[in-house]
Amino acid sequence: MPVETALYDLLGVEPEATEDEIKKAYRKKAREHHPNPDDPEAGSKFQEMAAASVIFSNSLLWSLTPYCVFFSYEILSSVETRETYDRFGMEGISGNGGRGPSMDAADLFAELFGGANFGFNFGPDMRPRRTRGEDTIINYDVTLEDLYNGKTVRMNMEKQIVCQVCKGSGAKGSAKPKQCAKCEGKGWTFIQTQMGPNQIGTSRARCSECGGHGEKLREKDRCKKCKGEKTVKEKNREEIHIERGVPNRTRIVLSEAGDEEPGVPPGDVVLVLKCKPHPSFERSGNDLLTTVHITLSEALLGFSRILVTHLDGRGVHVTSPKGKIIKPGDSIILRGEGMPIYKSPDQKGHLYVILEVDMPEESWLKTVDQPALEALLPPKKPEMDPKPAVIDEVPFEERDIVDFGEGDEGDWEDEDEEDETGEPECRPQ
């Protein structure tokens, strides 16, 4: 269940809505609420709504409810941003929680209204301040053996740390940054975009000179170690413990092990475990599935042998019941031989085994007394009685089943199809 449902409520859909349902709801709402850049009263409307809300916080988004339909659709129509919103809410989208893709206030406003400027100025102090650094997500491949047995991993990692020479100021000694001449200290500049014939849209973009800070250091005033970047790279070694039975795609969090930034606590390093396909076993929850091939003799007379070499190297010995005939595709369960249960590794799921019967080679048939073998085996099926009125003799030919369906269906013509002119297509006979 999502941590909040405000965007779903805006579109009038349930959190479980499909992509098609979200698209239909967006189209319906878009017809009801459509911001008009040419409306002379639009700017004053936005000013009034903003004045009644906290400075570009979530409350501003909801005070602009009639104009947020597009924004809601943009978030919920993307699998990645919808997942982030469901898990972290608007904090994950805006970057306030430091866990999702962050969006600058001015950029978000421009995204909402298609780059149109209604004379509304947020100002440099109205940017949302992040309370922590961004998380670093690392996808880490593991084997099914790793998840079964557990594993300790030592990883060499590299991250940004605050420069200890300038203490994160980026400056040499007591040098101070100067106001950016391009943006005049605002951190952003106006850009114009052609939106259509005789229509120019104006929006704000982060200043390319100062990177949105509104100020910059002169070359000679920059710290020699970090070159004015405020942070430097550091290599370290982290030890990660993968517990037995941990589910696939588990997130292992190294708290505050992410990149450092001046003035905010570092984010986390998050390892996402991704299990590689196994050649013999398939996992589902705490259970395992494998396929074992047995001989015709074993299918008819039974077996008592090691059927499986398990993920920890153990041999698993199984004896079939006497008098039991095993048919191709039969399955058995080996209780307590599945995956260790996460957080309760002394308990295990079950191992399901599909038994496939291998028929003997033709060369073996030449070495046995076939009449004696036929006398031992069950009798052949008798001829059909009564026989059909017409019987065709067809030659026996071996063929791979993958060739099934490879006919000339691609040349099939629908008699009801019409050509581009709208007239039925005529073909010479």
Side-chain angles (χ1 to χ4, degrees), residues 55-315:
I55 297 174
F56 209 87
S57 63
N58 291 344
S59 59
L60 175 59
L61 284 176
W62 310 137
S63 70
L64 293 173
T65 296
Y67 304 95
C68 288
V69 174
F70 172 73
F71 176 74
S72 303
Y73 175 70
E74 285 293 294
I75 296 298
L76 300 181
S77 62
S78 165
V79 175
E80 293 182 2
T81 51
R82 182 177 181 180
E83 181 180 350
T84 300
Y85 175 71
D86 287 347
R87 295 184 60 200
F88 305 115
M90 280 306 304
E91 286 191 352
I93 299 298
S94 65
N96 294 335
R99 303 187 183 188
S102 62
M103 187 175 287
D104 178 86
D107 296 337
L108 183 55
F109 189 82
E111 181 75 14
L112 283 171
F113 305 113
N117 184 339
F118 300 97
F120 189 81
N121 185 5
F122 287 97
D125 296 331
M126 300 179 73
R127 296 175 178 271
R129 297 182 181 274
R130 286 191 296 149
T131 58
R132 63 195 295 273
E134 293 183 1
D135 290 345
T136 302
I137 309 296
I138 300 175
N139 292 322
Y140 186 77
D141 290 335
V142 292
T143 63
L144 193 55
E145 285 86 353
D146 295 335
L147 302 184
Y148 184 91
N149 299 301
K151 183 179 182 180
T152 298
V153 182
R154 294 174 179 84
M155 296 182 63
N156 294 321
M157 305 182 72
E158 187 176 79
K159 69 173 185 177
Q160 296 286 340
I161 63 168
V162 173
C163 178
Q164 294 303 305
V165 175
C166 64
K167 306 301 181 186
S169 69
K172 183 195 303 182
S174 58
K176 300 293 182 183
K178 305 297 182 183
Q179 178 176 297
C180 176
K182 183 173 182 179
C183 67
E184 298 178 340
K186 294 189 294 292
W188 50 267
T189 57
F190 286 115
I191 60 172
Q192 291 187 330
T193 308
Q194 185 77 34
M195 300 180 66
N198 304 320
Q199 187 178 11
I200 300 293
T202 304
S203 60
R204 298 194 321 180
R206 181 175 297 176
C207 178
S208 59
E209 282 293 316
C210 63
H213 298 292
E215 56 186 18
K216 60 182 296 187
L217 286 163
R218 294 180 298 181
E219 187 75 33
K220 65 177 184 178
D221 292 335
R222 295 177 184 174
C223 171
K224 289 186 176 181
K225 183 171 180 63
C226 68
K227 305 296 188 292
E229 297 295 329
K230 302 180 181 180
T231 60
V232 294
K233 287 183 179 180
E234 179 188 65
K235 293 182 178 180
N236 62 334
R237 193 173 177 84
E238 294 283 353
E239 187 172 285
I240 298 128
H241 181 59
I242 301 173
E243 297 185 58
R244 296 180 63 201
V246 67
N248 187 31
R249 303 195 70 82
T250 291
R251 298 162 67 91
I252 298 177
V253 179
L254 305 179
S255 182
E256 296 191 352
D259 291 334
E260 296 180 6
E261 299 177 45
V264 294
D268 302 330
V269 172
V270 182
L271 263 72
V272 181
L273 303 182
K274 290 193 173 182
C275 186
K276 296 184 286 189
H278 195 276
S280 302
F281 292 93
E282 180 180 333
R283 180 184 185 180
S284 178
N286 296 320
D287 294 334
L288 291 171
L289 175 69
T290 191
T291 299
V292 172
H293 290 258
I294 61 175
T295 66
L296 178 61
S297 298
E298 290 177 318
L300 296 174
L301 306 175
F303 57 83
S304 181
R305 65 177 175 91
I306 295 173
L307 276 189
V308 177
T309 301
H310 218 311
L311 295 166
D312 56 0
R314 290 181 298 117

Side-chain angles (χ1 to χ4, degrees), residues 249-427:
R249 303 195 70 82
T250 291
R251 298 162 67 91
I252 298 177
V253 179
L254 305 179
S255 182
E256 296 191 352
D259 291 334
E260 296 180 6
E261 299 177 45
V264 294
D268 302 330
V269 172
V270 182
L271 263 72
V272 181
L273 303 182
K274 290 193 173 182
C275 186
K276 296 184 286 189
H278 195 276
S280 302
F281 292 93
E282 180 180 333
R283 180 184 185 180
S284 178
N286 296 320
D287 294 334
L288 291 171
L289 175 69
T290 191
T291 299
V292 172
H293 290 258
I294 61 175
T295 66
L296 178 61
S297 298
E298 290 177 318
L300 296 174
L301 306 175
F303 57 83
S304 181
R305 65 177 175 91
I306 295 173
L307 276 189
V308 177
T309 301
H310 218 311
L311 295 166
D312 56 0
R314 290 181 298 117
V316 180
H317 190 282
V318 180
T319 301
S320 63
K322 290 185 178 180
K324 172 68 177 177
I325 293 180
I326 298 171
K327 299 178 288 295
D330 279 357
S331 59
I332 61 175
I333 182 173
L334 306 182
R335 298 188 180 277
E337 289 296 340
M339 290 293 295
I341 296 177
Y342 183 45
K343 298 298 185 182
S344 301
D346 293 336
Q347 304 177 42
K348 294 181 181 178
H350 307 310
L351 172 59
Y352 290 81
V353 181
I354 297 175
L355 299 172
E356 294 292 349
V357 180
D358 292 337
M359 299 300 291
E361 299 289 338
E362 293 179 3
S363 57
W364 170 83
L365 195 59
K366 297 175 182 178
T367 64
V368 299
D369 186 342
Q370 293 187 29
L373 177 62
E374 185 174 0
L376 292 173
L377 293 174
K380 297 179 181 179
K381 278 196 171 185
E383 185 62 270
M384 187 180 297
D385 187 27
K387 295 181 178 180
V390 178
I391 300 174
D392 289 336
E393 188 70 31
V394 180
F396 179 92
E397 179 183 354
E398 290 185 294
R399 188 71 180 266
D400 198 316
I401 193 63
V402 298
D403 297 330
F404 175 72
E406 289 191 357
D408 296 328
E409 293 184 4
D411 297 328
W412 178 265
E413 293 291 341
D414 192 336
E415 293 180 358
D416 294 332
E417 281 187 358
E418 297 183 354
D419 63 14
E420 294 181 358
T421 64
E423 298 294 332
E425 183 177 4
C426 298
R427 294 184 178 275

